[in-house]
Amino acid sequence: MKKNKKKVIIANIKMNGSLHFNEAYLAKIKENFNNFKNLNICLCVPYPYLFQAKKILNNTKISWGSQNVAKFENGPHTGEVSAAMIKEFGSKYVIVGHSERSTAYCESDENIADKFKKIKKYNMTPVLCVGETLIEREAGIMERVVSSQIEVIIKTYGAQVFENSIIAYEPIWAIGSDTAATPDQANKMCNFIMDFISKKHKCDLKNFNIIYGGSVNRKNAVQLFASESLDGVLIGRASINFDEFNQICFAAENN
Ligand code: PGA
């Protein structure tokens, strides 16, 4: 990873936790993670726990946020949660376009683009997930798939919209499996994404990070953190196991 730049560690807690579990878990994170100097750590929790995250993590260097957002401002959208509401709870980051949502809830790329813009409107940092399926990788079209996911946002809002944002390369085949992308695969795709935005779309971004997600664990973290083009990681399962999460952060801090 780039030297002299803080690494981004986003925890995707997914639909896990409870008031009881979080109380102890967040307190432990607060106690142990606040001393990391080279990391920007954020826990993306289920909506009902934003208040609890704010209460426990307030006045620490650890941020919190959500895993989705409505594309609408407000109004008759039963079950949705707006960017303004998420912001009210002090959220800093919002995951958008995660494949578990686009597959299960038929999220279109256009919806994702609108959500991305809403997150920015409320001065939060979008963590846009992009990635290919195994079939697409085997067919060798992974770069085409990933660039088309990014292109939808650029077409609507211009490449400059990626200033102050994060793209998470999350190959769908690596999520929730035991097979993370190799550091070389992750590195190549992150380089490709950077070139796609900075060269193809001629956009020079000052505060923009590209991270990798998909089966990150304490074993593969060290190698991933050695990759030049990665600015951090998005961690799913391993983020609700304190020892595992702690070791990943430790590897990031010391690499
Ligand atoms: P995983 O999930 O680390 O459990 O593979 C990553 C993600 O879905 O963001």
Side-chain angles (χ1 to χ4, degrees), residues 179-206:
T179 326
T182 63
D184 186 51
Q185 287 170 325
N187 210 27
K188 276 196 181 124
M189 185 60 89
C190 293
N191 264 327
F192 169 78
I193 294 170
M194 185 50 102
D195 285 353
F196 182 72
I197 292 178
S198 64
K199 296 193 181 136
K200 176 143 192 277
H201 288 280
K202 299 187 179 52
C203 188
D204 181 26
L205 300 169
K206 298 201 167 39

Side-chain angles (χ1 to χ4, degrees), residues 12 14 98 100 170 174-177 213-216 234-238:
N12 179 6
K14 305 197 180 186
H98 192 285
E100 282 163 13
E170 290 218 306
I175 296 172
S177 72
S215 293
V216 174
L234 176 49
I235 311 166
R237 278 159 299 164

